[in-house]
Amino acid sequence: MSTPPPRQGTRPVAIVACAQSKSERRIEQANEVELLMPVVTEVYANAGMTKDDVDFICSGSTDYLIGGPFSFVTALDAVGVWPPKAESHVEMDGAWALYEAWVTLQEEGKDVALVYGFGKSSLGDLSRILALQLDPYTMAPMWPDQVSLAALQAQAMIDQGLATEEDFARIASRARHNALSNPNAQVANEKTMEELMKDDYAVAPLRRHTLPPLSDGAAAIILVAGDRAYDVVDRPAWITGIDHRVDAHAFGARNLAESRSTTKAAENAGVSAGPVDIAELHAPFAHQEILLRRAMGLNESTVINPSGGPLAANPLMAGGLIRFIEAANRIMDGSANRAVAHATSGPVLQQNLVAVLEGAS
Amino acid sequence: MADPTEIYTSPHVLEYPYARSTGPIIGAFLTALRDGKIVGVKGSKGRVIVPPTEYDPDTAEETSGIVDVGPGGVIETWAWVDTPRFDAPLDTPFAWALIRLDGADTAMLHVVAAPTSDVVVTGTRVTAEFRPAAERVGSMHDLRCFVLEGK
Amino acid sequence: MAAEETAQGPVTMLSTPIRLDYNFTAGVAQSKSLRGYAEGRFIGQRCPVCKKVYVPSRGSCPKDAVATTEEVVLPNTATVTTFCVVNVPFAGQSIEIPYITASILLDGADITFMGLIQGIAPEDVEMGLRVEAVWVPKEELGPTLASVKYFQPTGEPNREVSTFAEHL
Amino acid sequence: MNQRCAVIGVGQTHHKSKREDVSIAGLVREAAVAALEDAGLDFSDIDAVVVGKAPDMFEGIMMPELYLAGALGAVGKPMFRVHTAGSVGGSTAIVAAHLVANGIHKRVLTVAFEKQSDSDAMWALSVPQPFSAPLLAGAGGYFAPIIRSYINKSGAPNNVGMKVAVKDRLHALKNPYAHLHLPDIDLKMVEESVMLWDPLHYLESCPSSDGAAAMVLSSEDVAVAQEKTTGRPAAWIHGMAMRSEPTMFAGRNLMNPQAGRDCAKDVFAQAGITKPRQELDCAEVYVPFSWYEPMWLENLGFAEENEGWKLTDSGATSLDGGDIPWNCSGGVLSSNPIGASGMLRFLESALQVRNMAGDHQVPDAHKALGHAYGGGSQFFSMWVVGSDKPE
């Protein structure tokens, strides 16, 4: 096996096992621990490992989804950090927890990491919760909701001639179609662009179908450094490039129709260094797929969001990590050789992470 | 006996009256709003940032020099809300908009009141409509909304 | 805000009240414990691996990371392993200070939880004090730990600290 | 660690109960700008920014680092947000240091903060959760019973905690950034303060502060270059580690948690330390309630089990003649911007080995421990820094 060399760091790191819950609008029968535990159990089983094999654990979640401090602390009860483990938590999507784990595995002697992310959007009013991400002096007091902010971005794209409402509907149509073959998806059906265009506006110019569903869900990944990855799986999904960047928060000070942070992260991750078979883009709103695709320079030969993407299932704090899972699964099963996984955080794509996953040649 | 399969759920309210110190720059902005004006601050290379921040968001350099902007400006992009949420600034249909005020180099998020959606388009000129002086306290809500210029 | 209206100096403070409404769900395991409270009894769960009894249980053994499925009904009697006297006022507090919160080890349980102690003067409480749960009247029982009004001394002799040292 | 990593700049705010003169951005910039100046660098020199703070409910801003991206010069760069409860300031420093030590970046700015006066920490930590009894009474209500267990087990005299409270406040008088400056502090004053969470007096508890801390971490080549440019020495990281254990499980040792012992063992092994009391010159350890000094003396291996209080009692941990001064800065008992409190411990340990701690400098300090813990004494982060490069 010829492990593809990584662009960042010195030690190749691969995704070797994944697990995710089925996304649902409301998972009432499970609290966070019960949501997470089967997923963690499954990822260990998929890797043929136990908690004792893991050198580092990192998770992504946010307290505001549950409305109480330290939600990540109780979630640890699902993971079994005993004997005590090297463990950390980011108040970010699980994709950034993966980034931290990837950094940690650069060190010799740290070979296996568990990464997970979880979130239940069903407990509160997500639009109101997310308004608390905005500048606390000049924006949050007006409680702008995430759909309206996304609509500002979509309109900027339309004004700049980058997309039309029909383009948005075409993306939603394809996402729902792709989701039919994804058992974890929440929104899956066959609807043509023309049918979807009959939808009402949620906030113009965004019609209902351009919005992501509200989802509860959890996801977990096992990362392994070096050749040990081949002990777990025949075709590990090697992370050959990974980078993340942030844009200015004051989105009145930037062009909303572009994503400089994505462009820079994609350049550093080496997206354009070879053909991209598939890309899993964390574009919660349909228009953001067009924006991200342009920002990364992906051409027509790349299949976008074969899982259906966030338009089919979008558990906050796990949505980005699920993009890694969907991309890695397609490397591991041999259906793709080179894939892109992307995650976003913050209002209107403020922060973006891009990774290139490759199978060994 | 209680239903042996019932999953208990409960309302939970998280509520606190946060009080934020503004510092001098945001303080100057809120003071101006209370006085029925809008101000920005000069950032790197002299560009005028509205709402003002202590730093230029692109360079992190310290800003200095409060300048008057508006009250007129141009819609840079918009989003039409037919059914306002309970927490929206206006309870009748309106548009969220990024508005570049006259004299500013960045756009500010606020709302535009208009009779119908078709009159709100990118490039439309709007002007600030303040609440009556007695109701203004030094917050974004002192600026009730923007309205179409000359209407 | 009133101060700002009267004194027209520069604005230095911004009031931003925040209210978020949630619909919290207890999940399967916690609902079992909560159902016990609604019935006026403690229901714990046993870990299939280490056999320890957790009450209240959140559905897993935090040490072994396995689901705890076997239910165990526990008695009202317990030992105070340790405690403190709370004498600090704070926003949202609903009990009159001073009050005693104790780590309560139910007989037959392997972990403690926080409970309120009454029926004894604060200066007389000691580690090892034997207590029993006093439930709210039957018609007020509900799926909440608040169904336990408080714990009060049983009058039994205190337990030696060495007999429960592993729970400290 | 694949490569050497050094602290080349530190900055902190003046910590106060209410920093009403600044916004949150203003507060964090105060620390960040000071750290950059110390390092002889500018925001534009920085490769990545790592931010840490405790629960977002303290300020009522979800993921406030997003709003702070511009204020911290992170636009166009990687920005990262860590949250590991009270240990977060320490964990944040370690996450930032890993970026350098593992060869990803050369210059990383790390910042931790809390502006608790925007709300009320007691409220935020005691938000009644559905289905539970409303008994929570802040962190003190959680830790006081554990302290009682320790006093019972160790046979320590009741006034040891008060001695820690006095000692750390005396230290704070030598630290211009400390929140509490109590020139008349003595045992009597502590004893006469309100018994908030019996056995803890008011003055045996940490204050609630607004404040921020920042550090610039760099690779060896940058550190050597900046030492020449600024004339100020770097502090070299000799070891760093994190450990976690569950909040509660049957048989958990709450007084002397295994995760703390394991973390100390790991970090000391990396730094080649076998006798911490002898081989370290000082330590900045997260002691939010007085009795956690003797408890952590045992947990970290400075004393045998049940003997920690004897070190405190004998004055061994005092800057005034002690052989292993703890918390020369005044510690968490004197300044507690929660999210930054852990980073302040790491930062102060670096200041000591750079010989830049001013009036609270331990003479000729070469090696120091920075320590933070959080949650229900379940999350630990530690580093050892030295004035010489590690082998």
Side-chain angles (χ1 to χ4, degrees):
Chain A
M1 283 289 176
S2 159
T3 301
R7 292 173 75 93
Q8 283 87 18
T10 48
R11 216 171 168 219
V13 172
I15 295 171
V16 298
C18 309
Q20 58 178 308
S21 65
K22 178 173 164 40
S23 284
E24 290 180 37
R25 172 64 187 92
R26 186 184 304 277
I27 300 178
E28 206 151 77
Q29 66 276 17
N31 61 23
E32 278 69 10
V33 171
E34 292 165 317
L35 177 66
L36 193 55
M37 198 161 46
V39 175
V40 171
T41 305
E42 188 186 335
V43 83
Y44 282 137
N46 289 347
M49 291 182 176
T50 71
K51 65 189 175 76
D52 299 328
D53 293 308
V54 171
D55 300 308
F56 181 65
I57 298 171
C58 197
S59 65
S61 67
T62 176
D63 285 343
Y64 263 112
L65 281 185
I66 192 167
F70 309 121
S71 65
F72 66 94
V73 180
T74 36
L76 268 185
D77 287 359
V79 180
V81 280
W82 188 265
K85 294 273 184 194
E87 185 268 344
S88 188
H89 171 260
V90 296
E91 196 83 355
M92 307 177 87
D93 186 282
W96 276 268
L98 179 141
Y99 185 87
E100 185 180 333
W102 170 81
V103 172
T104 302
L105 294 193
Q106 292 302 311
E107 188 176 334
E108 288 293 335
K110 302 221 171 106
D111 298 334
V112 181
L114 168 70
V115 177
Y116 60 91
F118 64 94
K120 294 182 78 177
S121 305
S122 65
L123 301 176
D125 177 347
L126 192 62
S127 278
R128 192 165 166 89
I129 290 171
L130 289 175
L132 291 183
Q133 286 188 334
L134 302 169
D135 181 307
Y137 309 94
T138 60
M139 287 203 272
M142 297 190 289
W143 297 100
D145 63 284
Q146 55 156 346
V147 178
S148 295
L149 298 182
L152 290 173
Q153 184 175 45
Q155 186 58 43
M157 292 177 71
I158 292 170
D159 287 336
Q160 292 175 38
L162 302 173
T164 64
E165 290 185 37
E166 285 76 11
D167 293 334
F168 305 161
R170 252 187 294 274
I171 286 166
S173 169
R174 193 209 60 228
R176 290 159 178 228
H177 166 81
N178 288 352
L180 287 168
S181 52
N182 176 1
N184 300 310
Q186 192 179 333
V187 182
N189 52 41
E190 292 288 1
K191 288 228 171 120
T192 62
M193 181 270 279
E194 289 77 12
E195 284 174 274
L196 290 175
M197 282 300 287
K198 291 175 193 154
D199 271 4
D200 289 338
Y201 285 115
V203 174
L206 295 181
R207 295 176 196 274
R208 304 231 166 257
H209 59 259
T210 67
L211 275 49
L214 294 167
S215 310
D216 290 355
I221 281 180
I222 301 270
L223 293 179
V224 173
D227 285 346
R228 248 182 97 177
Y230 295 110
D231 298 341
V232 181
V233 65
D234 292 340
R235 210 176 130 78
W238 294 100
I239 301 168
T240 56
I242 187 165
D243 191 44
H244 65 103
R245 302 279 150 169
V246 69
D247 284 310
H249 178 72
F251 43 77
R254 62 180 165 102
N255 180 357
L256 275 185
E258 62 176 26
S259 177
R260 290 191 196 182
S261 56
T262 302
T263 300
K264 198 159 187 178
E267 277 170 17
N268 290 333
V271 168
S272 62
V276 178
D277 300 324
I278 69 119
E280 280 283 341
L281 306 183
H282 193 195
F285 294 88
H287 67 274
Q288 292 174 338
E289 182 182 307
I290 301 169
L291 197 161
L292 291 168
R293 194 176 178 144
R294 273 175 48 90
M296 289 185 209
L298 296 173
N299 62 33
E300 292 304 313
S301 68
T302 300
V303 176
I304 306 286
N305 290 352
S307 69
L311 286 170
N314 191 38
L316 207 72
M317 312 315 284
L321 192 62
I322 290 174
R323 306 281 68 76
F324 274 86
I325 291 178
E326 296 295 348
N329 280 339
R330 285 163 178 81
I331 300 285
M332 289 193 281
D333 71 12
S335 60
N337 281 319
R338 199 160 180 277
V340 164
H342 160 266
T344 195
S345 174
V348 281
L349 303 176
Q350 189 191 340
Q351 189 172 21
N352 294 283
L353 184 151
V354 180
V356 175
L357 308 180
E358 293 182 59
S361 50
Chain B
M1 293 288 275
D3 172 1
T5 60
E6 185 181 352
I7 304 295
Y8 291 106
T9 61
S10 167
H12 168 51
V13 178
L14 187 68
E15 186 170 22
Y16 199 83
Y18 292 86
R20 309 191 185 284
S21 50
T22 60
I25 304 284
I26 296 160
F29 174 70
L30 297 176
T31 304
L33 288 180
R34 192 195 59 195
D35 296 344
K37 293 186 300 185
I38 307 172
V39 297
V41 70
K42 282 189 181 162
S44 303
K45 294 181 192 155
R47 71 168 183 164
V48 175
I49 299 161
V50 183
T53 45
E54 296 93 331
Y55 50 87
D56 185 298
D58 287 344
T59 62
E61 287 170 3
E62 205 167 304
T63 52
S64 65
I66 299 289
V67 291
D68 287 340
V69 295
V74 178
I75 293 179
E76 284 210 332
T77 183
W78 54 271
W80 183 259
V81 179
D82 241 341
T83 317
R85 287 170 48 86
F86 74 98
D87 52 8
L90 298 175
D91 55 11
T92 50
F94 70 94
W96 286 102
L98 287 176
I99 296 156
R100 188 189 294 258
L101 291 153
D102 297 339
D105 294 294
T106 68
M108 179 173 87
L109 179 70
H110 216 282
V111 296
V112 176
T116 52
S117 64
D118 53 333
V119 295
V120 177
V121 291
T122 300
T124 305
R125 284 202 55 87
V126 290
T127 191
E129 183 179 295
F130 284 89
R131 287 179 196 284
E135 293 176 21
R136 297 198 296 259
V137 296
S139 95
M140 285 305 273
H141 293 281
D142 294 350
L143 220 177
R144 198 179 81 86
C145 61
F146 284 80
V147 293
L148 304 191
E149 206 169 77
K151 294 277 164 75
Chain C
M1 287 195 195
E4 284 152 14
E5 279 170 278
T6 49
Q8 291 287 303
V11 175
T12 60
M13 293 293 291
L14 175 68
S15 166
T16 59
I18 292 173
R19 177 187 167 122
L20 296 171
D21 285 76
Y22 293 88
N23 190 22
F24 185 91
T25 178
V28 172
Q30 203 192 349
S31 288
K32 285 179 182 163
S33 291
L34 295 174
R35 191 166 306 114
Y37 303 140
E39 296 165 1
R41 57 186 188 149
F42 293 104
I43 299 177
Q45 291 188 324
R46 194 188 305 277
C47 170
V49 177
C50 66
K51 307 293 180 197
K52 301 291 185 185
V53 173
Y54 283 84
V55 62
S57 172
R58 283 197 293 254
S60 74
C61 172
K63 204 168 165 179
D64 297 306
V66 294
T68 48
T69 44
E70 185 194 339
E71 283 189 26
V72 185
V73 177
L74 294 156
N76 277 333
T77 48
T79 302
V80 167
T81 60
T82 183
F83 65 96
C84 84
V85 185
V86 177
N87 195 26
V88 53
F90 61 92
Q93 198 171 43
S94 56
I95 308 169
E96 203 174 312
I97 56 171
Y99 60 90
I100 304 157
T101 59
S103 295
I104 304 285
L105 182 67
L106 287 179
D107 295 345
D110 291 295
I111 57 158
T112 62
F113 60 88
M114 202 80 97
L116 181 68
I117 304 293
Q118 299 213 331
I120 182 170
E123 56 273 23
D124 294 334
V125 180
E126 286 180 21
M127 292 169 70
L129 179 74
R130 292 287 296 159
V131 292
E132 63 188 348
V134 175
W135 297 81
V136 299
K138 209 158 195 170
E139 56 279 11
E140 291 171 29
L141 284 173
T144 162
L145 195 47
S147 288
V148 182
K149 214 167 158 187
Y150 49 79
F151 289 83
Q152 69 182 14
T154 61
E156 298 164 82
N158 290 353
R159 269 176 72 180
E160 283 291 325
V161 173
S162 60
T163 64
F164 55 84
E166 68 180 273
H167 298 291
L168 292 172
Chain D
M1 274 192 282
N2 296 352
Q3 320 181 4
R4 287 173 180 152
C5 176
V7 182
I8 60 168
V10 305
Q12 62 181 305
T13 57
H14 287 273
H15 312 296
K16 286 185 178 171
S17 59
K18 287 176 196 282
R19 281 295 309 268
E20 288 185 333
D21 56 323
V22 286
S23 69
I24 294 170
L27 185 77
V28 297
R29 280 174 64 85
E30 205 174 296
V33 168
L36 287 167
E37 273 173 11
D38 184 12
L41 297 175
D42 210 332
F43 278 115
S44 61
D45 297 314
I46 295 297
D47 301 325
V49 180
V50 182
V51 180
K53 70 172 297 301
D56 290 357
M57 274 142 220
F58 283 165
E59 287 84 7
I61 309 169
M62 183 183 189
M63 306 173 187
E65 68 282 0
L66 292 165
Y67 137 72
L68 291 170
L72 292 174
V75 170
K77 297 171 185 172
M79 188 187 61
F80 211 82
R81 161 70 191 287
V82 181
H83 176 16
T84 61
S87 63
V88 64
S91 312
T92 304
I94 289 177
V95 170
H98 277 157
L99 288 171
V100 175
N102 290 354
I104 312 300
H105 297 301
K106 279 180 176 289
R107 302 168 195 85
V108 175
L109 171 68
T110 183
V111 183
F113 73 97
E114 211 71 71
K115 194 156 183 302
Q116 291 181 216
S117 69
D118 277 23
S119 76
D120 169 354
M122 275 295 285
W123 166 81
L125 293 173
S126 312
V127 175
Q129 293 296 301
F131 308 121
S132 53
L135 288 175
L136 280 174
Y142 179 86
F143 291 112
I146 300 170
I147 287 168
R148 181 182 302 279
S149 304
Y150 172 76
I151 296 170
N152 178 286
K153 179 177 76 94
S154 66
N158 275 323
N159 67 356
V160 170
M162 292 191 270
K163 286 188 173 173
V164 176
V166 171
K167 177 208 63 158
D168 281 4
R169 271 50 173 272
L170 287 173
H171 289 173
L173 291 172
K174 300 178 178 198
N175 176 6
Y177 295 102
H179 173 177
L180 293 184
H181 285 131
L182 305 171
D184 303 323
I185 187 80
D186 59 12
L187 280 175
K188 187 162 169 279
M189 189 195 272
V190 178
E191 196 167 7
E192 286 174 357
S193 67
V194 183
M195 189 70 100
L196 284 185
W197 296 280
D198 189 340
L200 276 175
H201 291 87
Y202 171 68
L203 282 175
E204 290 181 89
S205 311
C206 52
S208 181
S209 318
D210 286 351
M215 292 190 281
V216 178
L217 303 168
S218 84
S219 56
E220 181 173 0
D221 55 336
V222 174
V224 170
Q226 291 312 110
E227 279 181 325
K228 283 199 187 106
T229 310
T230 65
R232 289 184 287 271
W236 298 89
I237 299 173
H238 287 232
M240 51 184 165
M242 292 192 261
R243 283 295 183 284
S244 307
E245 68 183 48
T247 319
M248 52 173 195
F249 57 85
R252 178 163 189 238
N253 188 338
L254 287 159
M255 295 173 277
N256 193 355
Q258 181 77 40
R261 278 180 276 158
D262 289 3
C263 192
K265 201 172 155 193
D266 186 355
V267 80
F268 290 148
Q270 289 175 45
I273 288 170
T274 51
K275 300 188 193 83
R277 182 174 173 185
Q278 284 78 20
E279 293 168 61
L280 291 168
D281 297 297
C282 57
E284 282 281 339
V285 177
Y286 204 104
V287 176
F289 299 101
S290 59
W291 282 93
Y292 272 83
E293 175 170 302
M295 287 162 68
W296 290 153
L297 278 164
E298 296 171 24
N299 190 247
L300 300 176
F302 288 72
E304 294 297 317
E305 194 161 352
N306 298 327
E307 307 269 315
W309 62 269
K310 292 180 185 167
L311 260 68
T312 299
D313 203 37
S314 71
T317 56
S318 168
L319 182 53
D320 184 13
D323 68 284
I324 180 66
W326 270 36
N327 294 325
C328 301
S329 65
V332 182
L333 281 170
S334 305
S335 313
N336 185 34
I338 298 184
S341 291
M343 188 171 286
L344 286 169
R345 309 282 70 72
F346 280 52
L347 180 159
E348 288 285 350
S349 65
L351 264 186
Q352 288 287 350
V353 300
R354 296 171 77 203
N355 226 320
M356 288 174 61
D359 289 347
H360 64 280
Q361 177 69 44
V362 173
D364 210 22
H366 277 283
K367 230 171 235 184
L369 170 71
H371 161 282
Y373 86 98
S377 310
Q378 66 188 121
F379 302 118
F380 294 84
S381 54
M382 304 177 199
W383 78 11
V384 169
V385 283
S387 43
D388 299 324
K389 289 179 190 174
E391 283 168 27

